[in-house]
Amino acid sequence: MDGAREALDMVAEETLDPLDWADVQALSHRVVDDAINYLRDVRDRPVWREMPAEVRSVFEAPLPRVPSPMADVYGEVSRTVMSYPMGNVHPRFWAWYMGAGNFAGALGDFLAAIQGSNLGGGNHAAALMDRQVVNWCKQMLGFPASASGTLVSGGSMANIIGLTVARNAKAGVDVREHGVAAIEKPLRFYGSDQLHSCHRKAMEALGLGNRALCRIPTDASLCIDVPALRAAIAQDRAAGFEPACIIGSAGTVNTGAIDDLQALAALASEEGMWFHVDGCIGALIAIAPENAHLVAGIEKADSVALDPHKWLHAPFEVGCALVRDAAAHRRTFAVTPEYLESTPRGLASGEWLNDYGLQTTRGFRALKVWMALKQHGLDKFGRLIDQNIAQAGHLARLIEAEPLLELATAPTINIVCFRYQPGLAGEPLKALNTEIMLRLQEEGIAALSDTTVHGQHWLRVAIANHRTRRGDLDLLVRETLRLGWEIAAEGPFGKAAIFDKPDNESRSA
Ligand SMILES: *Cc1c(COP(=O)(O)O)cnc(C)c1O
């Protein structure tokens, strides 16, 4: 190549790689150091804080057309994103339901991005590891080795995978070819009135519609009323519907209630129905020695959704769908377009993992789960689940010992619903407790959420957090009482007369 030609090539060709790798190396070492300090010191920071206007304005900046030094880019991320997190890695984050992350998992996400494989499938190490993590999930739940599964973005997608296989298996027609309109008798799916909202979205997306999902009432412990379910199935059958699938909840989002999975498995089998378990919260209790009995029967399900980014604390996102009948799973999703045909050898000789779900390109989610499991061992994750459940019991006892606090029900697992109760009812009680919840967040003390169960409003503490200590829950109780008293004294709940100053003597230690 002559010199002029070479010079031309040099101006014409660009890359995203740095000119000087040594610069990148120095900055990256700083990023890792900062990241480690960030997690080490998380307890010293507020759980959450409101962003000042100047931070918000950063996210309104226009599309950058020109480059900035990587150090400046990182500096901006550090000042904004890293400084104003959601807070779920903090020991006193108990809102909604999520995991607290872990460092090995974060390294896994980093290395997955560096290694860069596409988990649509193929013959490479990441694809084998993806299969292995799915196999490990089967083992955790006592599923047979012949079952199939797939890692997806989270529990919502995992439920959609399970429900889609259920629909196709029970439709009686080739839904893939002819669509839901060709189904002879309208399919009906059943779950409790405590079912997670993702099932409604799934039913809508599956073309079955929200009304095809029957919400069966729950008993006092918020578990599905099995006799009522049995009656609903019989009634629907008589009315010309096709009862297709029972969705059991292994840990409801409101209170952590676990349906009688053994009874549901038996009923589904009797009725020739698909049995799906939403185990996004509770499936992993199967690995916790003291509480595994609570989810006995989960291994009988036709499909299960579980969520490693909850109780395995994998960094977001990773969910997992398991399906007992691997052939039915493949039949639901497999398509082999001409550009994805397998070859006898080489890169395309591996399995196409996208035959088990809706995505074509798939991220390397397995690595973060694999690294954390290898580092800590499964038994430790099981003990941490038991620890969270014991902590919920501790919190419930503290609440019961406080005359001004009211416990909704004794927790089954790690979710505690309670409220500050100075003798109010209805909207004023809800407003007071909402204000307590907001100040706990705004003062950076703790992040709780709230919910309504059988018409009653409660503050909700979901302890899926390996950093939480009992002292954090003691603090929560103290601060709730302080805020309850302060807010009540301020009005508009007014009527300070009904709020006797909490008597310190009567409190538990
Ligand atoms: C969290 C949750 C889901 C949804 O899972 P994502 O990972 O948030 O998509 C579904 N069901 C239950 C019971 C859950 O707790």
Side-chain angles (χ1 to χ4, degrees), residues 97 153-157 159 196 198-199 251-253 278 280-281 307 309-310:
Y97 202 100
S153 56
S156 304
M157 281 308 303
N159 278 308
H196 189 276
C198 72
H199 296 280
T252 59
V253 73
D278 180 348
C280 290
I281 287 177
D307 232 353
H309 67 200
K310 288 181 175 170

Side-chain angles (χ1 to χ4, degrees), residues 220-242:
S221 55
L222 285 313
C223 299
I224 194 165
D225 179 339
V226 179
L229 169 62
R230 186 186 290 278
I233 291 170
Q235 207 170 34
D236 283 349
R237 221 184 266 293
F241 293 101
E242 181 67 42

Side-chain angles (χ1 to χ4, degrees), residues 180-266:
V180 289
I183 298 174
E184 214 178 301
K185 294 181 184 172
L187 301 183
R188 280 268 162 109
F189 285 44
Y190 304 80
S192 85
D193 59 17
Q194 298 296 303
L195 215 50
H196 189 276
S197 60
C198 72
H199 296 280
R200 174 186 176 147
K201 287 197 196 178
M203 293 299 283
E204 293 169 3
L206 288 175
L208 298 173
N210 181 39
R211 287 198 188 169
L213 177 55
C214 307
R215 276 75 163 186
I216 305 297
T218 42
D219 57 24
S221 55
L222 285 313
C223 299
I224 194 165
D225 179 339
V226 179
L229 169 62
R230 186 186 290 278
I233 291 170
Q235 207 170 34
D236 283 349
R237 221 184 266 293
F241 293 101
E242 181 67 42
C245 175
I246 296 173
I247 306 171
S249 292
T252 59
V253 73
N254 273 333
T255 62
I258 297 171
D259 289 341
D260 183 342
L261 303 179
Q262 303 279 21
L264 296 184

